[in-house]
Amino acid sequence: MRVSERGAAVPGNCLGRREMLGAAGVAACGLALAGCDSDTKAQESIKGKVIAKAADVPVGGGKLIQDLKVVVTQPTQGVYKAYSAICPHKGCEVGTPRDNVIKCACHGSEFAADSGNATKGPATAPLVAFPVKVEGDGIVVV
């Protein structure tokens, strides 16, 4: 039997507070890395594909492509951006961009349509960006 920091007896298979916090930290890091990995895989699966028609993405707004979990924006005329539609805070899907803002309905986070950066919490990390170019009338992930 172990003795806790306060001198209480702790059964042999129980973890102390420090061990539990350490384990929780390792788990959180693993989830964060898994999320990055899934965004990388998503980018690879859509690379070279037309994800939206340029005419369908309004200036100052955007389009949510739910089946691809991608959001495409046009912050200024002729400039297109694409991001993962998954909020980095808790993994909810963001909504269709309006007024150059991408909002997450789950917890109220907001992201800039021109950079993907978090502008209002609780999210602090940006949306994962996918490089795009216009080919003909389509927006393609490069």
Side-chain angles (χ1 to χ4, degrees), residues 31-98:
L31 287 173
L33 291 173
C36 292
D37 188 45
S38 66
D39 286 330
T40 302
K41 287 179 184 174
Q43 182 176 357
E44 289 301 315
S45 71
I46 60 176
K47 192 172 186 176
K49 294 182 182 177
V50 174
I51 58 171
K53 295 209 177 273
D56 294 340
V57 182
V59 176
K63 181 176 175 87
L64 173 64
I65 299 97
Q66 287 184 308
D67 60 327
L68 298 176
K69 300 210 182 313
V70 174
V71 62
V72 181
T73 68
Q74 186 179 186
T76 57
Q77 182 69 43
V79 175
Y80 297 92
K81 304 284 184 164
Y83 307 100
S84 168
I86 305 303
C87 179
H89 173 241
K90 293 280 185 177
C92 294
E93 189 173 273
V94 298
T96 300
R98 289 185 184 22

Side-chain angles (χ1 to χ4, degrees), residues 11-22:
N13 291 339
C14 290
L15 296 176
R17 183 176 63 211
R18 288 185 182 149
E19 290 91 351
M20 289 298 290
L21 288 173

